Amino acid sequence: MTDQENNNSISRNPFAALFSSLADAKQFAAVQKQQLREPADEATGSQDDSDNSVSESLDDYDDSVAEISRSFRSQQELCEQLNINHMIQRIFLITLDNSDPSVKSGNGIPVRCVYLEEMGADLDGQDWLDMANVEQALFTRLLLPDPRSHLIYMTSANTQNLSADRDAGETHVLQYLFASFQRAQEEITKVPENLLPFALRCKNLSVLNARTILLTPEIYQNQNVHEQLVDLMVEALTRAHFQEVSEFLEEVIEALLADEEVRTFSEVMTPVFEVLLIRIKELSLCQILLQTYLDVLLFITRQKNLAKVFVEYIQPQDSNNGQMYQKTLLGEILNISCLLKTPGVVENHDYFLNPSRSSPQEITVQESNIHQFMAQFHEKLYQILKNLLQLSPETKHHILSWLGNCLHANAGCTKIWANQMPEIFFQMYASDAFFLNLGAALLKLCQPFCKPKSPRLLTFNSTYCALKELNEEERKSKNAHMKGLDKETCLIPAERDQEPEFVPSYNLLTENLVLTQYSLHLGFHRLHDQMVKINQSLHRLQVAWREAQQSSNPAADSMREQFERLMTIYLSTKAAMTEPQMLQNCLRLQVSTALLLVQIAIGNHSTEPIELTFPLPEVQHSMLAYIPEFFADNLGDFFIFLRRFADDVLESSADCLEQVLHFITVFTGSVERMKNPHLRAKLAEVLEAVMPHLEPVQNPLISSVFQRERVFCSYKYAAHLAEALIKVFVDIEFTGDPHQFEQKFNYRRPMYPILKYMWGKDTYRQSIKNLADYASQNLEAMAPPLFLRFLNLLMNDAIFLLDEAIQYLSKIKVQQIEKDRGDWDSLSAESRREKEASLQMFGQLARFHNIMSNETIGTLAFLTSEIRSLFVHPFLAERIISMLNYFLQHLVGPKMGALKVKDFSQFDFKPQQLVSDICTIYLNLGDEENFCATVPKDGRSYSPTLFAQTVRVLKKINKPGNMIVAFSNLAERIKSLADRQLQEEETYADAPDEFLDPIMSTLMVDPVMLPSSRVTVDRPTIARHLLSDQTDPFNRSPLTMDQVKPNTELKEKIQQWLAERKRQQKAQLEEGEQRH
């Protein structure tokens, strides 16, 4: 029979309709002949006649219609066999059939397949695939070194199909198996029911072979299967079909877990995490690819078994080495930031290069772009942590242990030396970026209980911070993973009989809050300090750069380069710290912390907040004894940061500020609730930070203070807030610190503008005046009244600061003259540098003391406008008068020339304002006769000439005419009193020594005896002394004003002597008149 006849016969066969083409029918007939021939050779004599006839017809290889019909037992078998072959080809893109594609039909056959030639030869020319050989075929395909060299066309299509080439010739085994898995999934949805088991088997083969590849990767040459697995996930995420990859991986993981004899699941997956670690280390914040890799980790941390391996993998080799945590996979992610990777090295930095060449708008756009990437980055970090916390108790324990151990191992980075020795710091501890990002992610975890009036907030248990060292099992059972908190300094010391009442297990809120606050302490707090220092360095460098430019100094170019580098660091740090969502989250946390601490401070043990009332309840066994100071320090630091670098956040969140004001009011003035005077003084700076600006702003639309003004003016505890501020002003005088004298001026600096603001508001001003009235009525109380002590210290500061400023200005004047005269030109280069450094140092010191003295004198000026009784009392009158006269002598008298330095503004020297404020104080108090009478007693500085010179200066600086006239009248009145006192002093010139004050050497008016030393002094003298030092000045024993005893006997003697002297003087005058 010819081929044509054979084809015609087959085409007329009713079974032919089951085939896609005549070629398929012929192929199938040949296959069946071959299969039936083999069993026929082994058949026994029991075979019947029909079997023999079939065998004979096959041997004859007769392709007649009758032979084809006899070769198959049923239509279903014929159809099934063909369809299985085609389905396997479609799923795995492999074939044993290398026949001419022109005789094949394209219906159901892939365009390109890998031809498994060797396998076909092993099967004695079998050219079809079935369920018996598909597993071997797939394994053979996976072992091919280069499948692309085995590609053949399956159809007669003439056009090149790159997609078909790529799919069939896929060289990466895992990608190939995943694609096969996808194709099998598609087949499952299409095939008839009778073929469904075979499609499912093919899908399962994809999974099982993927498992084999991961268990024994060494079998597959030139295949880095771990990189392929990472690539598979990354590509799926990039192309938005990750759900299918996820299903594939879930089944592969299940298969791996079912067979851990060769390798454990952890051993299989650890190399995958190592690939992720290497790749993530190379990524930067603003790369889109970073988000994709974070999505990979989100999948990993959602999958229970992968997450378990992940939390084990990220544990560092040395849990006590803080820097080792940064080298873990999670640590490398946390280290990604716009901050410099190597401190001080801007080369190869990706952000804010050459900032002087960028416009403000360009810098703002770049910062905004960074913030967008940061927001996405922090959200995914948060989701990763959240997944691990929620997935299982095991992953929760591991990630909390990692966090607790990490923070404890890095605790040393807050030490002072860590800032001074950065090269050692970065060998020992994780980076600032690490903790900034960790803090941002933890802040998001805290948000559920940071909502206004959250019922969960007060479930926080501060005894968590008092736990001693726990073993691993105890940490897990108690939910207490943070270490070393019991060694932290707390807000107050525990009482002797106070023991913490530990609970069996702590809630996640408690642990979250502690971990978050400690992360902020290590990250945000450190970076804020750095920003302030960078800002100061930029200012100094800018001044030096301008001076160098003006003097054509060759160092100008070098300074410009330094300025550029420093500006890059500053802008990068600012961008990292001002991401809006992070700031809002931190604001909510710190406001919630303020509420929490106030509720603890007033003794609330319930989970519902109670109303704050004054006076505050007595402190007894307070839970504040277990609250670390860094809680309050973080709170204060954050609001100070906002004031400096993100003021708009404060204004937009003004309604939150009432809780912050509560916190400041309760803690600033209460040493029973916050022992550390430095921390309480810092709260004054916090108050300055959150209050409305005093200085005018350039753009009121951008930087409004309306909302803060509303909150401050309506604050219902205004009187207590003002008192708390004045109390901490006084308390900071005695901190016990060896540097307390220098520190107190820095601590008091923010208090002056606050007092000025308060004085301008009726409620606050009245509360200050009430304190002054109380002090006037209790001048000789056992403990000097608060406001009296405040005024005494205020004058002490004014005297010291302005005197120091005058001294430094005098030195600067001398050095400037020397330099202008050319005296420095003959000096060696080293000596000139020393002189320049000395001049710069004097300038900085003069500026500081001028700023502070301006504030103190200004404060005295507005206080004396309505508070007079205290200032004119003998306790204070002599001191304030001598101070004012001394300064006038330098500012308007013959010594004023010594202060005429170049450029007053460079040193914040404002002599006109100082003269005006001093004259205002005089005029405020000048109506009091006692005060005016005390002015001439200042023998050191007062003279009628001094006041005449002051009047001339007032005219010269264009002060209002009514002020000049008033001061001239005051000067005349004081001069007349001075003349009268001069006559009286002549009368008392020969007073006995026992009548003279042993400290001031003046005639005593109200002598009192000190109880321990038995020395008699004038009452005003000892009263002034006790304001600053409550000891007997003659033997240092404790002394209070109520202990002094009037020396009535001596007082009577003095009065008798005075009366006698006056009588004698009168008699002498009368006698002199009679002679004339």
Side-chain angles (χ1 to χ4, degrees):
M1 184 180 290
T2 66
D3 288 346
Q4 181 62 42
E5 291 171 335
N6 185 39
N7 289 344
N8 292 336
S9 300
I10 293 175
S11 65
R12 289 193 296 269
N13 191 301
F15 294 153
L18 298 173
F19 297 93
S20 58
S21 67
L22 290 177
D24 286 346
K26 290 175 67 179
Q27 177 190 352
F28 196 80
V31 168
Q32 293 305 315
K33 290 174 187 176
Q34 178 65 27
Q35 287 180 336
L36 291 173
R37 183 183 294 118
E38 291 170 1
D41 293 340
E42 299 172 0
T44 62
S46 62
Q47 290 175 314
D48 58 23
D49 294 341
S50 65
D51 289 337
N52 289 334
S53 64
V54 170
S55 176
E56 289 171 3
S57 65
L58 289 170
D59 289 338
D60 293 340
Y61 200 72
D62 187 353
D63 289 337
S64 66
V65 174
E67 288 175 332
I68 293 174
S69 301
R70 288 196 303 271
S71 297
F72 303 99
R73 295 192 178 107
S74 68
Q75 295 182 26
Q76 290 81 3
E77 184 178 353
L78 172 64
C79 177
E80 189 174 275
Q81 185 60 55
L82 282 171
N83 284 336
I84 288 172
N85 180 47
H86 289 165
M87 183 180 71
I88 293 171
Q89 288 177 339
R90 287 194 301 270
I91 291 173
F92 295 114
L93 303 180
I94 54 178
T95 187
L96 298 176
D97 181 10
N98 193 25
S99 61
D100 185 355
S102 63
V103 299
K104 301 174 186 175
S105 168
N107 184 18
I109 300 176
V111 177
R112 297 276 265 169
C113 280
V114 168
Y115 174 50
L116 304 177
E117 184 177 5
E118 291 184 9
M119 181 178 168
D122 292 342
L123 292 175
D124 295 330
Q126 176 178 329
D127 60 357
W128 70 92
L129 292 163
D130 54 32
M131 300 317 295
N133 61 28
V134 66
E135 191 169 346
Q136 179 188 352
L138 180 57
F139 186 67
T140 301
R141 161 66 175 83
L142 294 172
L143 290 177
L144 290 176
D146 184 9
R148 293 168 297 187
S149 63
H150 298 270
L151 286 174
I152 63 169
Y153 282 100
M154 299 294 289
T155 66
S156 56
N158 295 322
T159 57
Q160 187 177 15
N161 190 326
L162 295 178
S163 174
D165 288 359
R166 183 185 65 246
D167 293 344
E170 176 62 65
T171 56
H172 297 127
V173 288
L174 273 180
Q175 274 74 358
Y176 166 73
L177 287 173
F178 168 63
S180 300
F181 178 87
Q182 283 181 297
R183 291 188 288 267
Q185 288 274 60
E186 188 177 352
E187 290 291 330
I188 289 168
T189 63
K190 293 179 179 179
V191 296
E193 190 174 348
N194 65 314
L195 292 181
L196 185 59
F198 305 117
L200 289 169
R201 172 67 178 153
C202 289
K203 174 186 167 186
N204 194 40
L205 281 175
S206 302
V207 172
L208 292 176
N209 276 273
R211 178 201 65 181
T212 303
I213 287 168
L214 291 168
L215 284 174
T216 56
E218 60 276 6
I219 294 175
Y220 304 86
Q221 295 180 358
N222 303 319
Q223 297 283 347
N224 190 328
V225 296
H226 305 111
E227 286 197 355
Q228 288 179 28
L229 182 55
V230 173
D231 289 337
L232 180 64
M233 292 187 281
V234 170
E235 289 166 10
L237 286 162
T238 306
R239 298 175 185 175
H241 61 261
F242 192 75
Q243 182 60 37
E244 295 174 6
V245 170
S246 174
E247 292 175 18
F248 174 65
L249 292 179
E250 289 283 359
E251 294 194 28
V252 173
I253 289 167
E254 187 178 345
L256 285 166
L257 290 167
D259 181 10
E260 294 191 271
E261 291 183 10
V262 179
R263 281 188 173 92
T264 65
F265 183 67
S266 177
E267 289 171 336
V268 169
M269 296 312 301
T270 295
V272 177
F273 291 130
E274 287 171 354
V275 171
L276 284 169
L277 175 63
I278 292 167
R279 293 192 182 179
I280 286 172
K281 281 174 71 172
E282 301 303 316
L283 297 175
S284 61
L285 178 65
C286 294
Q287 282 182 273
I288 300 294
L289 194 58
L290 172 62
Q291 303 300 323
T292 306
Y293 276 95
L294 291 175
D295 286 334
V296 170
L297 285 167
L298 281 173
F299 167 72
I300 289 169
T301 54
R302 280 194 297 265
Q303 213 287 332
K304 184 177 179 179
N305 300 292
L306 285 174
K308 181 182 174 183
V309 178
F310 174 76
V311 291
E312 290 171 353
Y313 175 72
I314 62 173
Q315 302 302 322
Q317 294 177 344
D318 180 2
S319 64
N320 296 316
N321 184 326
Q323 219 263 341
M324 292 298 292
Y325 288 87
Q326 186 179 311
K327 295 183 177 181
T328 66
L329 176 52
L330 181 56
E332 288 293 351
I333 296 168
L334 290 168
N335 193 41
I336 295 171
S337 169
C338 63
L339 294 171
L340 272 67
K341 289 186 177 179
T342 305
V345 179
V346 299
E347 286 75 18
N348 300 320
H349 187 55
D350 296 329
Y351 314 99
F352 302 110
L353 294 177
N354 303 314
S356 66
R357 299 175 192 169
S358 303
S359 69
Q361 291 79 9
E362 288 172 327
I363 289 173
T364 301
V365 167
Q366 190 171 3
E367 183 179 76
S368 178
N369 187 46
I370 289 169
H371 286 167
Q372 287 181 7
F373 280 98
M374 280 183 70
Q376 297 171 20
F377 180 50
H378 290 160
E379 175 62 25
K380 289 181 180 177
L381 281 176
Y382 153 69
Q383 290 291 346
I384 289 169
L385 293 181
K386 185 181 177 184
N387 288 346
L388 295 172
L389 289 170
Q390 293 181 343
L391 193 60
S392 71
E394 189 173 7
T395 57
K396 174 184 173 182
H397 170 63
H398 275 95
I399 192 60
L400 288 174
S401 292
W402 190 91
L403 292 169
N405 292 339
C406 171
L407 294 175
H408 179 61
N410 284 279
C413 71
T414 58
K415 302 289 187 284
I416 293 174
W417 68 264
N419 288 324
Q420 297 170 343
M421 305 174 71
E423 63 283 351
I424 297 178
F425 170 89
F426 287 101
Q427 293 173 11
M428 296 180 63
Y429 303 115
S431 67
D432 295 319
F434 178 102
F435 289 110
L436 187 68
N437 289 325
L438 178 59
L442 290 174
L443 278 170
K444 285 179 172 286
L445 284 173
C446 292
Q447 292 311 296
F449 60 81
C450 290
K451 295 173 182 175
K453 299 181 181 178
S454 167
R456 297 173 55 194
L457 180 63
L458 296 185
T459 64
F460 174 80
N461 191 327
S462 61
T463 61
Y464 177 101
C465 304
L467 288 166
K468 307 289 184 184
E469 190 70 29
L470 303 175
N471 61 39
E472 188 72 12
E473 191 54 42
E474 287 173 329
R475 292 171 75 188
K476 187 173 183 179
S477 64
K478 283 183 174 291
N479 285 328
H481 297 85
M482 186 66 200
K483 293 180 178 179
L485 290 176
D486 58 305
K487 298 179 177 63
E488 290 285 333
T489 304
C490 292
L491 293 178
I492 55 173
E495 297 176 35
R496 288 186 178 180
D497 59 343
Q498 183 177 356
E499 289 293 332
E501 296 179 7
F502 298 116
V503 294
S505 179
Y506 291 88
N507 60 20
L508 189 57
L509 178 149
T510 297
E511 190 142 58
N512 273 357
L513 184 56
V514 172
L515 291 171
T516 304
Q517 289 287 13
Y518 206 85
S519 294
L520 294 173
H521 185 54
L522 298 185
F524 200 95
H525 180 76
R526 257 182 59 84
L527 279 170
H528 183 192
D529 284 347
Q530 289 179 35
M531 271 198 77
V532 172
K533 289 172 183 173
I534 294 169
N535 213 8
Q536 292 168 346
S537 298
L538 278 171
H539 176 74
R540 287 194 295 268
L541 195 55
Q542 192 172 31
V543 171
W545 177 28
R546 285 174 181 167
E547 288 179 354
Q549 279 184 313
Q550 291 169 1
S551 60
S552 301
N553 190 323
D557 289 341
S558 172
M559 288 181 181
R560 177 193 170 89
E561 187 179 333
Q562 288 179 51
F563 184 82
E564 287 277 295
R565 295 165 68 89
L566 203 54
M567 196 66 188
T568 295
I569 297 170
Y570 172 80
L571 291 171
S572 299
T573 308
K574 181 174 177 288
M577 296 188 70
T578 54
E579 193 279 304
Q581 189 57 57
M582 180 179 71
L583 291 183
Q584 285 295 332
N585 291 341
C586 195
L587 177 70
R588 284 191 282 268
L589 177 85
Q590 300 304 358
V591 169
S592 298
T593 301
L595 170 62
L596 173 66
L597 295 182
V598 167
Q599 291 296 311
I600 295 174
I602 59 179
N604 182 14
H605 298 288
S606 73
T607 57
E608 289 295 325
I610 60 176
E611 186 71 20
L612 175 63
T613 57
F614 288 87
L616 296 173
E618 186 178 343
V619 176
Q620 288 184 329
H621 290 181
S622 174
M623 299 295 276
L624 293 173
Y626 311 124
I627 301 286
E629 283 187 347
F630 63 75
F631 272 63
D633 202 20
N634 284 349
L635 190 158
D637 193 63
F638 177 70
F639 285 101
I640 293 167
F641 172 84
L642 289 182
R643 176 66 178 87
R644 288 170 173 161
F645 303 108
D647 188 68
D648 55 314
V649 175
L650 283 173
E651 181 64 16
S652 62
S653 309
D655 289 336
C656 301
L657 297 183
E658 187 178 43
Q659 294 299 338
V660 181
L661 293 182
H662 288 345
F663 174 76
I664 295 168
T665 303
V666 169
F667 285 93
T668 305
S670 179
V671 68
E672 300 82 14
R673 291 172 174 80
M674 186 179 282
K675 184 181 178 183
N676 187 340
H678 303 286
L679 194 52
R680 286 194 293 125
K682 185 174 184 176
L683 296 188
E685 192 174 356
V686 178
L687 181 58
E688 185 207 20
V690 299
M691 65 183 271
H693 305 166
L694 288 176
E695 69 275 10
V697 293
Q698 292 181 347
N699 190 338
L701 294 177
I702 294 175
S703 185
S704 169
V705 296
F706 174 78
Q707 298 298 337
R708 278 172 283 180
E709 186 87 20
R710 173 180 56 80
V711 172
F712 264 79
C713 291
S714 61
Y715 186 53
K716 56 186 174 181
Y717 302 121
H720 301 285
L721 181 57
E723 182 177 356
L725 179 69
I726 290 172
K727 189 171 190 309
V728 78
F729 185 102
V730 172
D731 289 349
I732 204 64
E733 185 76 14
F734 311 104
T735 62
D737 191 293
H739 305 292
Q740 66 180 23
F741 187 78
E742 295 84 358
Q743 286 177 335
K744 68 181 181 181
F745 298 115
N746 284 317
Y747 286 139
R748 286 173 180 159
R749 182 203 57 76
M751 301 182 194
Y752 295 116
I754 300 171
L755 283 168
K756 185 176 181 181
Y757 173 81
M758 287 181 169
W759 191 255
K761 305 298 174 186
D762 293 342
T763 310
Y764 292 98
R765 181 170 65 252
Q766 188 55 52
S767 65
I768 294 171
K769 288 167 68 176
N770 291 343
L771 290 173
D773 291 341
Y774 178 83
S776 296
Q777 296 160 15
N778 296 273
L779 286 174
E780 295 192 9
M782 180 175 73
L786 175 64
F787 200 76
L788 183 62
R789 295 172 65 198
F790 163 68
L791 290 183
N792 181 62
L793 294 173
L794 185 61
M795 284 191 286
N796 284 351
D797 286 1
I799 293 167
F800 173 80
L801 291 164
L802 194 49
D803 194 39
E804 287 290 293
I806 287 169
Q807 299 303 320
Y808 286 123
L809 289 170
S810 300
K811 292 177 181 178
I812 291 168
K813 170 75 172 177
V814 170
Q815 289 198 333
Q816 287 179 342
I817 291 171
E818 289 177 356
K819 185 177 181 181
D820 292 345
R821 221 168 33 208
D823 293 357
W824 293 7
D825 296 344
S826 59
L827 298 175
S828 65
E830 181 65 27
S831 296
R832 277 200 305 275
R833 278 196 295 271
E834 289 177 2
K835 287 281 189 181
E836 290 285 1
S838 173
L839 182 58
Q840 186 178 11
M841 182 188 70
F842 286 151
Q844 291 169 356
L845 290 169
R847 183 173 183 273
F848 171 77
H849 287 89
N850 275 320
I851 290 171
M852 296 300 294
S853 59
N854 293 338
E855 295 282 10
T856 52
I857 299 296
T859 302
L860 285 169
F862 67 71
L863 286 177
T864 53
S865 66
E866 296 190 33
I867 298 173
R868 298 185 178 89
S869 58
L870 280 173
F871 287 102
V872 300
H873 194 281
F875 282 11
L876 298 178
E878 289 184 14
R879 293 196 62 230
I880 193 169
I881 288 166
S882 62
M883 175 189 78
L884 298 175
N885 290 343
Y886 174 72
F887 294 146
L888 281 178
Q889 195 176 49
H890 283 84
L891 294 168
V892 304
K895 298 181 180 179
M896 63 187 292
L899 307 181
K900 287 187 177 179
V901 295
K902 295 178 181 177
D903 189 7
F904 286 177
S905 63
Q906 182 182 347
F907 310 109
D908 269 280
F909 181 41
K910 301 175 180 177
Q912 295 183 7
Q913 185 62 48
L914 285 170
V915 170
S916 178
D917 285 343
I918 290 171
C919 292
T920 298
I921 296 170
Y922 261 120
L923 292 173
N924 288 340
L925 303 177
D927 291 339
E928 301 291 335
E929 188 70 22
N930 291 340
F931 179 80
C932 291
T934 309
V935 174
K937 293 180 181 178
D938 174 26
R940 182 179 68 160
S941 302
Y942 171 74
S943 71
T945 306
L946 178 64
F947 275 56
Q949 290 168 331
T950 304
V951 171
R952 284 199 297 272
V953 170
L954 289 174
K955 292 176 181 177
K956 188 175 180 180
I957 62 178
N958 296 318
K959 282 296 163 182
N962 58 344
M963 181 181 187
I964 297 171
V965 170
F967 194 81
S968 299
N969 293 338
L970 178 64
E972 287 299 322
R973 188 146 53 98
I974 291 172
K975 183 177 182 301
S976 64
L977 289 169
D979 293 340
R980 189 191 310 166
Q981 287 176 15
L982 187 59
Q983 295 175 359
E984 291 178 354
E985 285 174 7
E986 292 175 358
T987 304
Y988 314 145
D990 57 347
D993 288 345
E994 65 173 319
F995 294 174
L996 300 179
D997 181 278
I999 296 175
M1000 302 300 293
S1001 297
T1002 55
L1003 186 69
M1004 290 186 284
V1005 178
D1006 187 5
V1008 292
M1009 183 177 291
L1010 308 185
S1012 59
S1013 65
R1014 310 297 294 174
V1015 175
T1016 296
V1017 296
D1018 206 7
R1019 184 181 293 274
T1021 302
I1022 193 61
R1024 281 196 301 273
H1025 168 79
L1026 292 178
L1027 286 175
S1028 302
D1029 185 359
Q1030 292 194 306
T1031 61
D1032 186 320
F1034 299 99
N1035 62 10
R1036 311 304 298 165
S1037 60
L1039 178 65
T1040 56
M1041 208 50 209
D1042 64 314
Q1043 293 174 323
V1044 303
K1045 304 296 181 185
N1047 192 334
T1048 52
E1049 182 181 348
L1050 181 59
K1051 186 175 182 178
E1052 288 174 2
K1053 285 184 181 180
I1054 292 172
Q1055 288 174 344
Q1056 289 171 5
W1057 182 82
L1058 280 172
E1060 178 61 26
R1061 292 296 292 167
K1062 287 180 180 179
R1063 189 188 62 75
Q1064 291 176 1
Q1065 188 179 34
K1066 185 179 179 181
Q1068 289 174 357
L1069 287 171
E1070 290 174 351
E1071 184 179 344
E1073 289 174 357
Q1074 288 174 0
R1075 286 178 182 174
H1076 288 85

